[in-house]
Coordinates of all heavy atoms in Angstrom, one line a residue:
M1 N 5.7 -1.5 -7.8 CA 6.8 -2.1 -7.0 C 6.7 -1.7 -5.6 O 6.5 -0.5 -5.2 CB 8.1 -1.6 -7.6 CG 9.3 -2.5 -7.3 SD 9.2 -3.9 -8.4 CE 10.8 -4.6 -7.9
K2 N 6.7 -2.7 -4.7 CA 6.7 -2.4 -3.2 C 7.8 -3.1 -2.6 O 8.3 -4.1 -3.1 CB 5.4 -2.8 -2.6 CG 4.1 -2.1 -3.1 CD 2.9 -2.5 -2.3 CE 1.7 -1.8 -2.8 NZ 0.5 -2.1 -1.9
T3 N 8.2 -2.6 -1.4 CA 9.3 -3.2 -0.7 C 8.9 -3.5 0.7 O 8.4 -2.6 1.4 CB 10.6 -2.3 -0.7 OG1 10.9 -2.0 -2.1 CG2 11.8 -3.0 -0.1
L4 N 9.2 -4.7 1.2 CA 9.0 -5.1 2.6 C 10.3 -5.7 3.0 O 11.1 -6.1 2.2 CB 7.9 -6.1 2.8 CG 6.4 -5.6 2.6 CD1 5.5 -6.8 2.8 CD2 6.1 -4.5 3.7
T5 N 10.6 -5.7 4.3 CA 11.8 -6.4 4.8 C 11.4 -7.8 5.2 O 10.3 -8.1 5.4 CB 12.4 -5.7 6.0 OG1 11.5 -5.7 7.1 CG2 12.7 -4.2 5.7
C6 N 12.5 -8.6 5.2 CA 12.4 -10.0 5.7 C 11.6 -10.0 7.0 O 10.7 -10.8 7.2 CB 13.8 -10.5 5.8 SG 13.9 -12.1 6.5
K7 N 12.0 -9.1 7.9 CA 11.4 -9.1 9.2 C 9.9 -8.8 9.2 O 9.1 -9.4 9.9 CB 12.1 -8.0 10.1 CG 12.4 -8.4 11.5 CD 13.3 -7.3 12.1 CE 13.8 -7.8 13.5 NZ 14.9 -7.0 14.0
D8 N 9.5 -7.9 8.3 CA 8.1 -7.6 8.1 C 7.3 -8.9 7.8 O 6.1 -9.0 8.2 CB 7.9 -6.6 6.9 CG 8.3 -5.2 7.2 OD1 8.3 -4.9 8.4 OD2 8.6 -4.5 6.3
L9 N 7.9 -9.8 7.1 CA 7.2 -11.0 6.7 C 7.4 -12.2 7.5 O 7.2 -13.3 7.1 CB 7.6 -11.3 5.2 CG 7.2 -10.2 4.2 CD1 7.9 -10.4 2.9 CD2 5.7 -10.3 4.0
G10 N 7.8 -11.9 8.8 CA 8.0 -13.1 9.7 C 9.4 -13.7 9.7 O 9.7 -14.6 10.4
G11 N 10.3 -13.0 9.0 CA 11.7 -13.5 9.0 C 12.5 -12.9 10.1 O 11.9 -12.3 11.1
K12 N 13.8 -12.8 9.9 CA 14.6 -12.4 11.0 C 15.8 -11.4 10.6 O 16.6 -11.1 11.5 CB 15.2 -13.5 11.8 CG 15.8 -14.6 10.9 CD 16.6 -15.6 11.7 CE 15.7 -16.4 12.7 NZ 16.5 -17.5 13.3
C13 N 15.8 -10.9 9.4 CA 16.8 -9.9 9.1 C 16.2 -8.7 8.4 O 15.0 -8.7 8.1 CB 17.9 -10.6 8.2 SG 17.5 -10.9 6.5
G14 N 17.0 -7.7 8.1 CA 16.5 -6.5 7.5 C 16.6 -6.4 6.0 O 16.4 -5.4 5.4
E15 N 16.8 -7.6 5.4 CA 16.9 -7.6 3.9 C 15.7 -7.1 3.3 O 14.6 -7.4 3.7 CB 17.1 -9.1 3.5 CG 17.2 -9.4 2.1 CD 18.6 -9.3 1.5 OE1 19.5 -9.3 2.3 OE2 18.8 -9.4 0.3
K16 N 15.9 -6.2 2.3 CA 14.7 -5.6 1.6 C 14.3 -6.5 0.5 O 15.1 -6.9 -0.4 CB 15.1 -4.2 1.1 CG 15.2 -3.2 2.2 CD 15.4 -1.8 1.5 CE 15.3 -0.7 2.6 NZ 16.3 -0.8 3.6
L17 N 13.0 -6.8 0.4 CA 12.5 -7.7 -0.6 C 11.5 -6.9 -1.4 O 10.5 -6.5 -0.9 CB 11.8 -8.9 0.0 CG 12.6 -9.7 1.0 CD1 11.8 -10.7 1.8 CD2 13.8 -10.4 0.3
S18 N 11.8 -6.7 -2.7 CA 10.9 -5.9 -3.6 C 10.2 -6.8 -4.6 O 10.8 -7.8 -5.1 CB 11.8 -4.9 -4.4 OG 12.4 -4.0 -3.5
A19 N 9.0 -6.5 -4.9 CA 8.3 -7.2 -5.9 C 7.1 -6.4 -6.4 O 6.8 -5.4 -5.9 CB 7.7 -8.5 -5.2
G20 N 6.6 -6.8 -7.6 CA 5.5 -6.1 -8.2 C 4.2 -6.6 -7.8 O 3.2 -5.9 -8.1
S21 N 4.1 -7.7 -7.1 CA 2.8 -8.2 -6.7 C 3.0 -9.0 -5.4 O 4.1 -9.4 -5.1 CB 2.2 -9.1 -7.8 OG 2.9 -10.3 -7.9
W22 N 1.8 -9.3 -4.8 CA 1.9 -10.1 -3.5 C 2.4 -11.5 -3.9 O 3.3 -12.0 -3.2 CB 0.5 -10.2 -2.9 CG 0.4 -11.2 -1.8 CD1 -0.4 -12.4 -1.9 CD2 1.0 -11.2 -0.5 NE1 -0.3 -13.0 -0.7 CE2 0.6 -12.4 0.2 CE3 1.9 -10.4 0.1 CZ2 1.1 -12.7 1.4 CZ3 2.4 -10.7 1.3 CH2 2.0 -11.8 2.0
D23 N 1.9 -12.1 -4.9 CA 2.4 -13.5 -5.3 C 3.9 -13.5 -5.5 O 4.6 -14.5 -5.2 CB 1.7 -14.0 -6.6 CG 0.3 -14.3 -6.3 OD1 -0.1 -14.5 -5.2 OD2 -0.5 -14.5 -7.3
E24 N 4.4 -12.4 -6.1 CA 5.8 -12.3 -6.4 C 6.6 -12.2 -5.1 O 7.7 -12.9 -5.0 CB 6.1 -11.1 -7.3 CG 7.4 -11.2 -8.1 CD 7.6 -10.0 -8.9 OE1 6.6 -9.4 -9.4 OE2 8.8 -9.6 -9.0
V25 N 6.2 -11.4 -4.2 CA 6.9 -11.2 -2.9 C 6.9 -12.5 -2.1 O 7.9 -12.9 -1.4 CB 6.4 -10.0 -2.1 CG1 5.2 -10.3 -1.2 CG2 7.5 -9.5 -1.2
V26 N 5.8 -13.3 -2.2 CA 5.8 -14.6 -1.5 C 6.9 -15.5 -2.1 O 7.6 -16.1 -1.3 CB 4.4 -15.3 -1.7 CG1 4.4 -16.7 -1.3 CG2 3.3 -14.5 -1.0
T27 N 7.0 -15.5 -3.4 CA 8.1 -16.3 -4.0 C 9.5 -15.8 -3.6 O 10.3 -16.7 -3.2 CB 8.0 -16.2 -5.6 OG1 6.7 -16.5 -6.0 CG2 9.0 -17.2 -6.2
V28 N 9.7 -14.5 -3.6 CA 11.0 -13.9 -3.2 C 11.3 -14.3 -1.7 O 12.4 -14.7 -1.4 CB 11.0 -12.4 -3.4 CG1 12.2 -11.8 -2.9 CG2 10.9 -12.1 -4.9
M29 N 10.3 -14.1 -0.9 CA 10.5 -14.4 0.5 C 10.7 -15.9 0.8 O 11.6 -16.2 1.6 CB 9.2 -13.9 1.3 CG 9.2 -14.2 2.8 SD 10.6 -13.4 3.7 CE 10.2 -13.9 5.4
T30 N 10.0 -16.7 0.1 CA 10.2 -18.2 0.3 C 11.7 -18.5 -0.1 O 12.3 -19.3 0.7 CB 9.2 -19.0 -0.6 OG1 7.9 -18.6 -0.2 CG2 9.4 -20.5 -0.3
K31 N 12.1 -18.0 -1.2 CA 13.5 -18.3 -1.6 C 14.5 -17.8 -0.6 O 15.5 -18.4 -0.3 CB 13.7 -17.7 -3.0 CG 15.0 -18.0 -3.7 CD 14.9 -17.6 -5.2 CE 16.2 -17.9 -5.9 NZ 17.3 -17.0 -5.6
H32 N 14.2 -16.5 -0.2 CA 15.1 -15.9 0.8 C 15.2 -16.7 2.1 O 16.3 -16.9 2.6 CB 14.6 -14.5 1.1 CG 15.4 -13.8 2.2 ND1 16.7 -13.2 2.0 CD2 15.1 -13.6 3.5 CE1 17.1 -12.7 3.1 NE2 16.2 -12.9 4.0
V33 N 14.1 -17.1 2.7 CA 14.2 -17.9 3.9 C 14.9 -19.2 3.7 O 15.6 -19.7 4.6 CB 12.9 -18.0 4.7 CG1 12.4 -16.6 5.2 CG2 11.8 -18.7 3.9
M34 N 14.6 -19.8 2.6 CA 15.2 -21.2 2.3 C 16.7 -21.1 2.2 O 17.4 -21.9 2.7 CB 14.6 -21.8 1.1 CG 13.2 -22.4 1.4 SD 12.2 -23.2 0.2 CE 13.2 -23.3 -1.2
E35 N 17.2 -19.9 1.7 CA 18.6 -19.8 1.5 C 19.3 -19.2 2.8 O 20.5 -19.5 3.0 CB 18.9 -18.8 0.3 CG 18.7 -19.5 -1.0 CD 18.8 -18.5 -2.2 OE1 19.0 -17.3 -1.9 OE2 18.6 -18.9 -3.3
N36 N 18.6 -18.4 3.5 CA 19.2 -17.7 4.7 C 18.7 -18.1 6.0 O 19.5 -18.0 7.0 CB 19.0 -16.2 4.5 CG 19.6 -15.7 3.2 OD1 20.8 -15.4 3.1 ND2 18.8 -15.5 2.2
H37 N 17.5 -18.5 6.2 CA 17.0 -18.9 7.5 C 16.2 -20.2 7.4 O 15.0 -20.3 7.4 CB 16.0 -17.8 8.0 CG 16.4 -16.4 7.7 ND1 17.6 -15.9 8.2 CD2 15.8 -15.4 7.0 CE1 17.7 -14.6 7.8 NE2 16.7 -14.3 7.1
P38 N 17.0 -21.3 7.4 CA 16.3 -22.7 7.2 C 15.3 -22.9 8.4 O 14.3 -23.6 8.2 CB 17.5 -23.6 7.3 CG 18.7 -22.8 7.0 CD 18.4 -21.4 7.4
D39 N 15.6 -22.4 9.6 CA 14.7 -22.6 10.7 C 13.4 -21.9 10.5 O 12.3 -22.4 10.7 CB 15.3 -22.2 12.0 CG 15.9 -20.8 12.0 OD1 16.4 -20.3 10.9 OD2 15.9 -20.2 13.1
V40 N 13.5 -20.7 9.9 CA 12.2 -19.9 9.6 C 11.5 -20.6 8.5 O 10.2 -20.7 8.5 CB 12.5 -18.5 9.2 CG1 11.3 -17.7 8.8 CG2 13.2 -17.7 10.3
A41 N 12.2 -21.1 7.5 CA 11.6 -21.9 6.4 C 10.8 -23.1 6.9 O 9.7 -23.4 6.5 CB 12.6 -22.3 5.4
Q42 N 11.4 -23.7 7.9 CA 10.7 -24.9 8.5 C 9.4 -24.5 9.3 O 8.4 -25.2 9.2 CB 11.6 -25.6 9.5 CG 12.4 -26.7 8.9 CD 13.3 -27.4 9.9 OE1 13.3 -27.2 11.1 NE2 14.2 -28.3 9.4
Q43 N 9.5 -23.4 10.0 CA 8.3 -22.9 10.7 C 7.3 -22.5 9.7 O 6.1 -22.8 10.0 CB 8.7 -21.6 11.5 CG 9.4 -21.9 12.8 CD 9.9 -20.6 13.5 OE1 9.4 -19.5 13.2 NE2 10.8 -20.7 14.4
M44 N 7.7 -21.9 8.6 CA 6.7 -21.4 7.6 C 6.0 -22.7 7.0 O 4.8 -22.7 6.7 CB 7.3 -20.6 6.6 CG 7.5 -19.1 7.0 SD 8.5 -18.1 5.9 CE 7.5 -18.0 4.5
E45 N 6.8 -23.7 6.8 CA 6.3 -24.9 6.2 C 5.3 -25.6 7.1 O 4.2 -26.0 6.7 CB 7.4 -25.8 5.8 CG 7.0 -26.9 4.8 CD 8.0 -28.0 4.5 OE1 9.2 -27.7 4.8 OE2 7.6 -29.1 4.1
A46 N 5.7 -25.6 8.4 CA 4.8 -26.3 9.4 C 3.5 -25.5 9.5 O 2.4 -26.1 9.5 CB 5.5 -26.3 10.7
M47 N 3.6 -24.1 9.4 CA 2.4 -23.3 9.5 C 1.5 -23.5 8.3 O 0.3 -23.6 8.4 CB 2.9 -21.8 9.5 CG 1.8 -20.8 9.9 SD 2.2 -19.1 9.5 CE 3.1 -18.6 11.0
H48 N 2.2 -23.7 7.1 CA 1.5 -23.9 5.9 C 0.7 -25.2 5.9 O -0.4 -25.3 5.4 CB 2.5 -23.8 4.7 CG 1.8 -23.9 3.4 ND1 1.3 -22.8 2.7 CD2 1.5 -25.0 2.6 CE1 0.7 -23.2 1.6 NE2 0.8 -24.5 1.5
N49 N 1.4 -26.2 6.5 CA 0.7 -27.6 6.5 C -0.5 -27.5 7.4 O -1.5 -28.2 7.2 CB 1.7 -28.6 7.0 CG 2.8 -28.9 5.9 OD1 2.6 -28.6 4.8 ND2 3.9 -29.4 6.4
E50 N -0.4 -26.7 8.5 CA -1.5 -26.6 9.4 C -2.6 -25.8 8.9 O -3.8 -26.2 9.0 CB -0.9 -25.9 10.7 CG -1.6 -26.4 12.0 CD -0.8 -25.7 13.1 OE1 0.2 -26.3 13.6 OE2 -1.2 -24.7 13.6
D51 N -2.3 -24.6 8.3 CA -3.3 -23.7 7.7 C -2.7 -23.0 6.6 O -2.0 -22.0 6.8 CB -3.8 -22.8 8.8 CG -4.8 -21.8 8.3 OD1 -5.1 -21.8 7.0 OD2 -5.4 -21.0 9.1
P52 N -2.9 -23.4 5.3 CA -2.2 -22.8 4.2 C -2.5 -21.3 4.0 O -1.7 -20.6 3.3 CB -2.8 -23.6 3.0 CG -3.3 -24.9 3.6 CD -3.7 -24.5 5.0
K53 N -3.5 -20.8 4.6 CA -3.9 -19.4 4.4 C -3.3 -18.5 5.5 O -3.4 -17.3 5.3 CB -5.4 -19.3 4.3 CG -6.1 -20.0 3.2 CD -6.5 -18.9 2.1 CE -6.6 -19.5 0.7 NZ -7.5 -20.6 0.6
R54 N -2.9 -19.1 6.6 CA -2.5 -18.3 7.7 C -1.4 -17.3 7.5 O -1.5 -16.1 7.8 CB -2.1 -19.2 8.9 CG -1.8 -18.4 10.1 CD -1.6 -19.3 11.3 NE -0.8 -18.6 12.3 CZ -0.1 -19.2 13.3 NH1 -0.1 -20.5 13.4 NH2 0.6 -18.5 14.1
W55 N -0.3 -17.7 6.8 CA 0.8 -16.8 6.6 C 0.3 -15.6 5.7 O 0.7 -14.5 6.0 CB 1.9 -17.6 5.9 CG 3.2 -16.8 5.9 CD1 4.1 -16.6 6.9 CD2 3.7 -16.0 4.8 NE1 5.1 -15.8 6.5 CE2 4.9 -15.4 5.2 CE3 3.2 -15.8 3.5 CZ2 5.6 -14.6 4.3 CZ3 4.0 -14.9 2.6 CH2 5.2 -14.4 3.1
S56 N -0.4 -15.9 4.7 CA -0.9 -14.8 3.9 C -1.9 -13.9 4.7 O -1.8 -12.6 4.5 CB -1.7 -15.3 2.7 OG -0.9 -16.0 1.8
R57 N -2.7 -14.5 5.5 CA -3.7 -13.7 6.3 C -2.9 -12.7 7.2 O -3.3 -11.6 7.4 CB -4.5 -14.6 7.1 CG -5.9 -14.1 7.4 CD -6.9 -15.2 7.8 NE -6.3 -16.0 8.9 CZ -6.4 -17.3 8.9 NH1 -6.9 -18.0 7.9 NH2 -5.9 -18.0 9.9
E58 N -1.8 -13.2 7.8 CA -1.1 -12.4 8.7 C -0.2 -11.3 8.0 O 0.1 -10.3 8.6 CB -0.2 -13.3 9.6 CG -1.0 -14.0 10.6 CD -0.2 -15.0 11.5 OE1 1.0 -15.0 11.3 OE2 -0.8 -15.6 12.3
N59 N 0.3 -11.7 6.8 CA 1.3 -10.8 6.2 C 0.8 -10.0 5.0 O 1.4 -8.9 4.7 CB 2.5 -11.7 5.8 CG 3.2 -12.2 7.0 OD1 3.9 -11.5 7.7 ND2 3.1 -13.5 7.3
K60 N -0.2 -10.4 4.4 CA -0.7 -9.6 3.2 C -1.1 -8.2 3.6 O -0.8 -7.3 2.8 CB -1.8 -10.3 2.5 CG -2.1 -9.7 1.1 CD -2.9 -10.6 0.2 CE -3.1 -10.0 -1.2 NZ -3.9 -8.8 -1.1
P61 N -1.7 -8.0 4.8 CA -2.1 -6.6 5.1 C -0.9 -5.7 5.1 O -1.0 -4.5 4.8 CB -2.7 -6.7 6.5 CG -3.2 -8.1 6.5 CD -2.3 -8.9 5.7
K62 N 0.3 -6.2 5.5 CA 1.5 -5.4 5.5 C 1.9 -5.0 4.1 O 2.4 -3.9 3.8 CB 2.7 -6.1 6.2 CG 2.4 -6.5 7.7 CD 3.5 -7.3 8.2 CE 3.0 -8.1 9.5 NZ 4.0 -9.1 9.8
W63 N 1.8 -6.0 3.2 CA 2.0 -5.7 1.8 C 1.1 -4.6 1.3 O 1.5 -3.7 0.6 CB 1.9 -7.0 1.0 CG 2.0 -6.8 -0.5 CD1 0.9 -6.7 -1.3 CD2 3.1 -6.6 -1.3 NE1 1.3 -6.5 -2.6 CE2 2.7 -6.4 -2.6 CE3 4.5 -6.5 -1.0 CZ2 3.6 -6.1 -3.7 CZ3 5.4 -6.2 -2.1 CH2 4.9 -6.1 -3.4
D64 N -0.2 -4.8 1.6 CA -1.2 -3.9 1.1 C -0.9 -2.5 1.6 O -1.2 -1.5 0.9 CB -2.6 -4.3 1.5 CG -3.0 -5.6 0.7 OD1 -2.5 -5.8 -0.4 OD2 -3.9 -6.3 1.2
A65 N -0.4 -2.4 2.8 CA -0.2 -1.1 3.5 C 1.1 -0.4 3.0 O 1.3 0.8 3.2 CB -0.2 -1.3 5.0
A66 N 2.0 -1.2 2.4 CA 3.3 -0.7 2.0 C 3.1 0.3 0.9 O 2.3 0.1 0.0 CB 4.2 -1.8 1.6
P67 N 3.8 1.4 0.9 CA 3.7 2.4 -0.2 C 4.2 1.9 -1.5 O 5.2 1.2 -1.6 CB 4.5 3.6 0.3 CG 5.5 3.0 1.3 CD 4.9 1.8 1.9
E68 N 3.5 2.2 -2.6 CA 3.9 1.9 -3.9 C 5.1 2.7 -4.3 O 5.0 3.9 -4.1 CB 2.7 2.1 -4.9 CG 2.9 1.5 -6.3 CD 2.7 0.0 -6.3 OE1 1.7 -0.4 -5.7 OE2 3.4 -0.6 -7.0
S69 N 6.1 2.1 -4.8 CA 7.3 2.9 -5.2 C 7.5 2.9 -6.7 O 7.4 1.8 -7.3 CB 8.5 2.4 -4.5 OG 9.7 2.5 -5.4
S70 N 7.7 4.0 -7.3 CA 7.8 4.1 -8.8 C 9.2 3.9 -9.2 O 9.5 3.6 -10.4 CB 7.3 5.4 -9.3 OG 7.8 6.5 -8.6
T71 N 10.2 4.1 -8.3 CA 11.6 3.9 -8.6 C 12.0 2.4 -8.4 O 11.7 1.9 -7.4 CB 12.5 4.8 -7.7 OG1 12.1 4.6 -6.4 CG2 12.3 6.2 -8.0
V72 N 12.6 1.9 -9.4 CA 13.0 0.5 -9.3 C 14.5 0.4 -8.9 O 15.3 1.1 -9.4 CB 12.8 -0.3 -10.6 CG1 13.3 -1.7 -10.5 CG2 11.4 -0.2 -11.0
Ligands
ZN101 ZN1 16.1 -12.6 6.1

């Protein structure tokens, strides 16, 4: 289990997003921005249409660098 904030992942608030894998945090983050930051969701969608790998390339290193937490 690792935790990143919305801001870490290109969002705009300090909401903590926890997940057990990168794929899972992508799902959690996508849901979070769609519900809370429609403008960020639009930017992410535009970025994805332009280069589907770009968001992962920019943000996955932060996930990899985040400390693994054993407490849930
Ligand atoms: Zn947020």
Side-chain angles (χ1 to χ4, degrees):
M1 203 77 172
K2 294 186 183 187
T3 304
L4 287 176
T5 64
C6 171
K7 223 172 190 165
D8 287 334
L9 294 167
K12 45 167 68 172
C13 75
E15 179 90 8
K16 288 185 168 67
L17 307 168
S18 298
S21 69
W22 169 245
D23 287 346
E24 200 182 326
V25 83
V26 170
T27 306
V28 171
M29 177 61 177
T30 304
K31 187 165 179 286
H32 173 78
V33 294
M34 284 180 4
E35 285 171 359
N36 299 278
H37 319 299
D39 51 330
V40 176
Q42 267 181 8
Q43 280 173 20
M44 282 171 67
E45 198 188 337
M47 193 196 272
H48 186 86
N49 290 338
E50 213 173 274
D51 178 355
K53 295 255 158 56
R54 185 173 155 200
W55 190 80
S56 292
R57 207 162 54 226
E58 289 179 359
N59 293 287
K60 190 163 185 296
K62 297 176 202 164
W63 170 260
D64 290 337
E68 190 78 44
S69 148
S70 50
T71 51
V72 180

